[in-house]
Amino acid sequence: MLSNFLQKQQYNCVRNFTSRSAERIVKQQLQEIRNAGTWKAERIINTQQSALIGVEGTYNKVLNFCANNYLGLSNSPELMQAAKDTIDSHGLGLSSVRFICGTQNIHKKLESMIAKFHRMEDTILYSSCFDANGGLFEGFVDPVKSKVAILSDALNHASIIDGIRLSGKAKRYRYNHIDMKDLENKLIQAQDQEVRIITTDGVFSMDGDVAPIEKICDLAERYDSVVMVDESHATGFFGKTGRGASEFCNVLDRVDLINSTLGKALGGSSGGFTVGKKCYIDMLRQRSRPYLFSNTLAPAVVGASIKVFDILLKSTELRDQLEKNTLYFREKMTKAGFDILAGEHPIIPIMLYEGKLANEFADEMLKRGIYVIGFSYPVVPKGEARIRVQISAGHTKEQLDKAIDAFVEVGKLKGCLKK
Amino acid sequence: MLSNFLQKQQYNYVRNFTSKSAERIVKQQLQEIRNAGTWKAERIINTQQSASIGVEGTWNKVLNFCANNYLGLSNSPELMQAAKDTIDSHGLGLSSVRFICGTQNIHKKLENMIAKFHRMEDTILYSSCFDANGGLFEGFVDPVKSKVAILSDALNHASIIDGIRLSGKARKMRYNHIDMQDLENKLIEAQDQDVRIITTDGVFSMDGDVAPIEKICDLAERYDSVVMVDESHATGFFGKTGRGASEFCNVLDRVDIINSTLGKALGGSSGGFTVGKKCYIDMLRQRSRPYLFSNTLAPAVVGASIKVFDILLKSTELRDQLEKNTLYFREKMTKAGFDILAGEHPIIPIMLYEGKLANEFADEMLKRGIYVIGFSYPVVPKGEARIRVQISAGHTKEQLDKAIDAFVEVGKLKGCLKK
């Protein structure tokens, strides 16, 4: 009754504004989000990103288990120095799109290194993989001049979905998550088109499961289709030499296009790219809208990224450490009785099923100095709420143990552990 | 005949690949672009961005007259130091979206400063204004729950067009360029919707003309519509205190939402934002897809941008210098007999009308040490080709004179000057 009264007060307050209907409607919708319990609040971090971070409102530092900082490079002294050196040599910014006066020698160098790392022909840089996905489907072939079909896994990333929405007249197919039979049916349906492109996350971000890329390549060859893989949760650390899910599935040489990010494992500042066959990259340079109409990548980011690929081309030490950490954590948590989606990836979903429980669990974890986030509807399906842990090469064994102990303590408290 | 022969050879060569139809089609389309003479080649710069730059293939440095470096800040020592200091204090990257662990205290500080500068309530940061535009129309009100009409100037930026394409079921209406009668008619048509949003570039990038924002606000108030202005070619330097075209039109306090970039005048590294009423910003934080699903802004960019707004909040020295340079250049070029679209903005289109002429003119200018670009179809309408000059506060009088002299020399050579 009190909440009804307050809500009415707020509504009356809104109506007293000489505001427009838009404002009234937006405020109503904001209230609905709060009521539904799906409001996203931002915690404020007052340190560098690292395994151990300072969060405002928390006295002691906490251990971060929910960043995409897979190789622990987000505050790497080596990369930070490279960024600063490149600011000195190449300035703060270019204030230009690539083709006017926004290409420096370092951009070409980074593109070469990324192509070399992936054993592909050429690379095109973007501000983010979000933009790389946004520009790909409309850009790599003219959908006005040719009949194009796009076949997309149902659980692909939001940025791929948006890129497909921007693909104009292209015919869109969605195949059930990693369902190769459904994909094959749709490839057959799409034979009346001139060009087909299958697009999939290499690793899916909510479950950490890997796409069956080998089977996808088999189908693509049989039914004459291009294969594009988004390796954002894989580049640098997944696969034997960190060359992604495509390498993990032993088909790096059969995938046509890889979109990925510099904003996760590879330093985390910003940037994305498409790497692949030269003719596709050439076409994207001529047509891709985020490339033609948005600022070129900042020198600092380019310089740090050149250093990252330097490191990755020389040694697999970091991804080996991450793999070790991941196996250790998975083993211990499974033994402790938690329900963990099986897999090998550092994304580890601790299944709790019920949304309210997931949020309360995360709060209890924070009290014990472990920073994790509960994911519930609508981010994941109803009844599949979880805490999504992300392991880093930067986590020490002590830090992993501290997290595991906290999980077990809260798990017992909440009755989540299997007998 | 020789070219036919070569073309046939290439076609046969392509057919010998065991390539997919996609590859064949893309290569054909690439050839069509070359044949049409609209191929974009990138020149490689080997210095910082500045009034004077080094370009590979050119022995001496050249003067840059086609960057968005309006205040000359792209290699400002002060901003470069701020960027480096912030790397030291806050790390290289966050490797996270904002709401998980991607918000540092400096992000909130920058958002406050941008809001303060615009005398508005709150700000939301993005990787680029391209993303800010991409996320706005679908994000600021739920187009599933409410009936939304979007009214957009015909010559708005590509990123606004793409943002509108992503707005789902919203009703999309386009009004003729700066045509207030057409806008009014469409506002009347759109009265059956719950929410209306008028969106316009503040300054249009090809002609440098200013939107009639005062009249737009009048219409918006009369017909109950939100007003959004994209100030990318205005923030920091246009208007009496550099607060944009909205300030230039004396209606900064009547515009609801401003989208703009940190990647042009304000340092040029990267970044964009939406600033406006708190309820709209709150809604964008909950719903905007580029915000929820893409990496947070890198510390170096945030730190440099805080320093920029520090500078802008204290002094109008830079925008005053730019205004002086702009007036000087416009006056001299008009006197010399060039056909220049009238206006006050540092975007100065030197009209040449014919595409081939525009490209040849730019080549001749480069021989004389002036770096400019010819713009022709399809970037501008057929028969309206031009060289688009962009003046910077960083240009000295000597540099402006050198450019003017080169323009006059080439203009005489090509017979472009009015008698």
Side-chain angles (χ1 to χ4, degrees):
Chain A
M1 272 163 300
L2 178 63
S3 63
N4 277 353
F5 174 74
L6 288 170
Q7 204 167 315
K8 230 189 197 168
Q9 284 289 79
Q10 189 176 3
Y11 184 71
N12 289 340
C13 185
V14 168
R15 260 204 288 191
N16 286 340
F17 282 7
T18 51
S19 66
R20 298 163 187 160
S21 46
E23 210 173 306
R24 176 177 50 80
I25 286 173
V26 169
K27 285 178 175 171
Q28 266 174 6
Q29 290 181 359
L30 285 171
Q31 192 54 44
E32 284 163 21
I33 296 172
R34 285 190 190 92
N35 294 345
T38 52
W39 186 266
K40 291 180 189 57
E42 290 169 4
R43 287 206 178 90
I44 296 172
I45 292 166
N46 49 29
T47 60
Q48 299 176 353
Q49 186 68 281
S50 187
L52 189 66
I53 55 171
V55 178
E56 279 187 16
T58 311
Y59 192 67
N60 295 317
K61 287 198 177 175
V62 299
L63 292 178
N64 192 354
F65 278 87
C66 56
N68 300 310
N69 186 15
Y70 294 110
L71 297 175
L73 291 175
S74 299
N75 69 333
S76 147
E78 211 179 341
L79 297 190
M80 283 159 63
Q81 193 56 50
K84 292 191 292 183
D85 291 343
T86 315
I87 289 174
D88 285 334
S89 62
H90 286 74
L92 180 72
L94 273 299
S95 296
S96 172
V97 301
R98 276 291 294 263
F99 77 93
I100 296 183
C101 54
T103 304
Q104 287 171 318
N105 43 15
I106 50 174
H107 293 84
K108 299 309 290 177
K109 180 170 184 185
L110 178 58
E111 288 176 344
S112 292
M113 291 180 82
I114 295 174
K116 180 175 171 181
F117 180 77
H118 290 88
R119 299 182 204 117
M120 289 184 169
E121 292 175 2
D122 201 1
T123 313
I124 173 175
L125 294 172
Y126 287 96
S127 302
S128 59
C129 189
F130 196 97
D131 282 1
N133 286 336
L136 175 72
F137 300 97
E138 194 183 25
F140 100 104
V141 69
D142 187 337
V144 173
K145 296 192 169 180
S146 313
K147 297 199 286 181
V148 182
I150 304 166
L151 303 97
S152 171
D153 187 293
L155 292 193
N156 276 343
H157 190 261
S159 55
I160 292 180
I161 294 170
D162 281 4
I164 293 173
R165 289 163 78 193
L166 289 170
S167 65
K169 289 183 164 41
K171 198 149 176 223
R172 301 153 202 194
Y173 295 90
R174 198 165 53 178
Y175 61 92
N176 299 327
H177 182 50
I178 65 176
D179 180 342
M180 294 295 99
K181 194 42 156 159
D182 197 26
L183 173 57
E184 183 166 13
N185 291 340
K186 300 200 151 78
L187 278 165
I188 291 169
Q189 276 181 56
Q191 287 303 301
D192 61 347
Q193 304 294 307
E194 292 166 280
V195 175
R196 284 152 294 280
I197 176 168
I198 304 165
T199 173
T200 180
D201 286 1
V203 175
F204 293 87
S205 55
M206 279 304 132
D207 290 357
D209 55 332
V210 183
I213 309 177
E214 191 186 351
K215 291 211 181 75
I216 290 175
C217 288
D218 290 342
L219 285 172
E221 263 156 54
R222 188 155 161 209
Y223 292 100
D224 188 8
S225 171
V226 173
V227 176
M228 177 289 233
V229 181
D230 181 326
E231 298 274 20
S232 294
H233 284 282
T235 303
F237 64 93
F238 199 62
K240 220 171 27 186
T241 64
R243 281 166 166 77
S246 305
E247 181 190 45
F248 182 82
C249 299
N250 287 313
V251 289
L252 184 56
D253 56 331
R254 294 170 65 196
V255 168
D256 297 280
L257 287 162
I258 285 176
N259 278 15
S260 196
T261 182
L262 307 168
K264 288 184 167 63
L266 306 183
S269 56
S270 69
F273 58 85
T274 299
V275 64
K277 281 204 199 313
K278 188 172 193 313
C279 60
Y280 299 142
I281 303 302
D282 281 347
M283 185 56 91
L284 288 170
R285 282 200 218 283
Q286 299 301 315
R287 287 181 39 85
S288 171
R289 287 163 75 87
Y291 188 73
L292 297 175
F293 299 116
S294 194
N295 197 21
T296 183
L297 207 54
V301 176
V302 178
S305 305
I306 287 172
K307 178 61 78 175
V308 160
F309 279 97
D310 235 357
I311 294 172
L312 296 180
L313 282 162
K314 288 195 181 118
S315 157
T316 59
E317 189 186 321
L318 286 170
R319 57 82 57 223
D320 294 341
Q321 183 60 50
L322 173 61
E323 188 175 34
K324 196 169 152 206
N325 285 358
T326 300
L327 279 167
Y328 180 75
F329 189 89
R330 280 183 173 272
E331 223 176 77
K332 287 261 167 168
M333 290 288 284
T334 308
K335 253 200 202 129
F338 280 100
D339 200 354
I340 295 179
L341 293 184
E344 318 193 30
H345 194 272
I347 290 172
I348 303 171
I350 319 290
M351 299 307 293
L352 298 169
Y353 303 104
E354 209 257 311
K356 197 154 163 285
L357 170 61
N359 290 341
E360 288 170 0
F361 204 114
D363 288 340
E364 288 294 325
M365 291 296 288
L366 187 61
K367 290 181 194 165
R368 290 158 178 77
I370 309 294
Y371 187 82
V372 288
I373 302 269
F375 286 85
S376 51
Y377 181 79
V379 179
V380 290
K382 265 191 179 151
E384 292 187 33
R386 66 201 66 187
I387 284 178
R388 184 185 73 172
V389 167
Q390 290 172 277
I391 301 297
S392 168
H395 287 129
T396 64
K397 185 177 175 295
E398 291 68 35
Q399 291 169 336
L400 295 174
D401 285 334
K402 182 170 177 192
I404 293 162
D405 291 344
F407 265 107
V408 170
E409 201 177 296
V410 178
K412 285 185 179 151
L413 188 70
K414 297 285 184 185
C416 305
L417 302 177
K418 294 186 222 170
K419 300 286 163 228
Chain B
M1 271 162 299
L2 177 63
S3 63
N4 276 353
F5 175 74
L6 288 172
Q7 203 165 317
K8 233 187 192 169
Q9 285 289 81
Q10 184 174 4
Y11 184 70
N12 288 340
Y13 181 60
V14 167
R15 263 205 284 192
N16 286 340
F17 282 9
T18 51
S19 65
K20 299 162 184 167
S21 48
E23 211 172 308
R24 176 178 50 81
I25 285 173
V26 169
K27 285 179 174 171
Q28 267 174 4
Q29 291 183 357
L30 285 171
Q31 191 55 43
E32 284 165 20
I33 296 172
R34 286 191 189 92
N35 294 345
T38 52
W39 185 267
K40 291 179 189 56
E42 290 170 4
R43 287 209 178 88
I44 298 173
I45 291 166
N46 49 30
T47 60
Q48 300 176 353
Q49 186 68 281
S50 186
S52 180
I53 55 171
V55 177
E56 279 187 17
T58 312
W59 182 251
N60 296 315
K61 285 200 176 173
V62 298
L63 295 180
N64 192 352
F65 278 87
C66 55
N68 299 310
N69 186 16
Y70 294 110
L71 296 176
L73 291 175
S74 299
N75 69 333
S76 146
E78 209 178 343
L79 297 190
M80 283 160 62
Q81 192 57 51
K84 291 191 293 183
D85 290 344
T86 315
I87 289 173
D88 285 334
S89 62
H90 287 74
L92 179 72
L94 273 299
S95 296
S96 171
V97 301
R98 277 290 295 261
F99 77 93
I100 297 183
C101 53
T103 304
Q104 286 170 319
N105 43 14
I106 50 174
H107 294 84
K108 298 310 290 178
K109 180 169 185 186
L110 177 58
E111 288 177 344
N112 286 340
M113 291 180 83
I114 295 174
K116 180 175 172 181
F117 180 78
H118 289 88
R119 298 181 206 119
M120 288 185 169
E121 292 175 5
D122 200 1
T123 312
I124 174 175
L125 295 173
Y126 287 95
S127 303
S128 60
C129 190
F130 195 97
D131 281 1
N133 286 336
L136 175 72
F137 300 97
E138 194 182 25
F140 99 105
V141 69
D142 188 338
V144 173
K145 296 192 171 181
S146 313
K147 296 199 286 182
V148 182
I150 304 167
L151 302 97
S152 172
D153 187 292
L155 292 192
N156 276 342
H157 190 260
S159 55
I160 292 180
I161 293 170
D162 280 3
I164 293 173
R165 289 163 78 193
L166 289 169
S167 65
K169 289 183 164 41
R171 185 138 176 240
K172 297 149 192 164
M173 308 172 92
R174 199 165 55 177
Y175 62 91
N176 299 328
H177 182 50
I178 65 178
D179 181 343
M180 294 295 100
Q181 189 52 68
D182 196 28
L183 173 57
E184 183 166 13
N185 293 340
K186 301 207 149 69
L187 278 165
I188 292 169
E189 265 184 73
Q191 287 303 301
D192 60 348
Q193 304 292 304
D194 299 323
V195 174
R196 284 151 294 282
I197 177 168
I198 304 166
T199 173
T200 180
D201 285 3
V203 175
F204 293 87
S205 55
M206 281 302 132
D207 289 357
D209 54 332
V210 183
I213 309 177
E214 191 187 351
K215 291 209 180 73
I216 290 176
C217 289
D218 290 342
L219 286 172
E221 262 158 56
R222 187 153 161 211
Y223 293 100
D224 188 9
S225 172
V226 174
V227 177
M228 177 286 230
V229 181
D230 182 325
E231 298 274 22
S232 295
H233 285 280
T235 304
F237 65 93
F238 199 62
K240 220 170 24 177
T241 64
R243 282 165 165 77
S246 305
E247 182 190 43
F248 182 83
C249 298
N250 287 314
V251 289
L252 184 56
D253 55 331
R254 294 171 64 196
V255 167
D256 297 278
I257 296 173
I258 284 175
N259 278 15
S260 195
T261 181
L262 307 169
K264 289 184 166 60
L266 306 183
S269 57
S270 69
F273 58 85
T274 297
V275 64
K277 281 204 201 313
K278 189 173 193 313
C279 59
Y280 299 142
I281 303 302
D282 281 348
M283 184 57 92
L284 289 170
R285 282 200 217 282
Q286 298 302 314
R287 288 181 40 84
S288 170
R289 287 164 76 86
Y291 188 74
L292 296 175
F293 299 116
S294 193
N295 198 21
T296 183
L297 207 54
V301 176
V302 178
S305 305
I306 287 173
K307 177 61 76 174
V308 159
F309 279 97
D310 235 356
I311 294 173
L312 296 180
L313 282 162
K314 288 192 182 124
S315 155
T316 60
E317 188 185 323
L318 286 171
R319 58 83 56 223
D320 295 340
Q321 182 61 48
L322 173 61
E323 188 175 34
K324 197 169 150 204
N325 285 357
T326 300
L327 280 168
Y328 181 75
F329 189 88
R330 280 183 173 272
E331 223 177 77
K332 287 260 168 168
M333 290 288 283
T334 308
K335 255 200 202 129
F338 280 100
D339 200 354
I340 295 180
L341 292 184
E344 318 192 29
H345 194 272
I347 290 171
I348 303 171
I350 319 291
M351 299 307 293
L352 298 168
Y353 303 105
E354 210 255 311
K356 197 154 164 281
L357 169 62
N359 290 341
E360 288 171 358
F361 204 115
D363 289 340
E364 289 292 327
M365 291 296 288
L366 187 60
K367 289 181 194 165
R368 289 158 178 78
I370 309 294
Y371 187 82
V372 288
I373 301 269
F375 286 85
S376 52
Y377 182 79
V379 178
V380 291
K382 267 193 177 149
E384 292 189 31
R386 68 202 63 188
I387 283 179
R388 182 185 74 171
V389 167
Q390 289 172 280
I391 302 298
S392 168
H395 287 129
T396 65
K397 185 175 175 298
E398 290 68 35
Q399 290 170 334
L400 294 174
D401 284 335
K402 184 172 176 190
I404 293 162
D405 290 344
F407 265 107
V408 170
E409 201 177 296
V410 178
K412 284 184 180 150
L413 188 71
K414 296 285 183 184
C416 305
L417 303 178
K418 295 185 224 168
K419 301 284 164 229

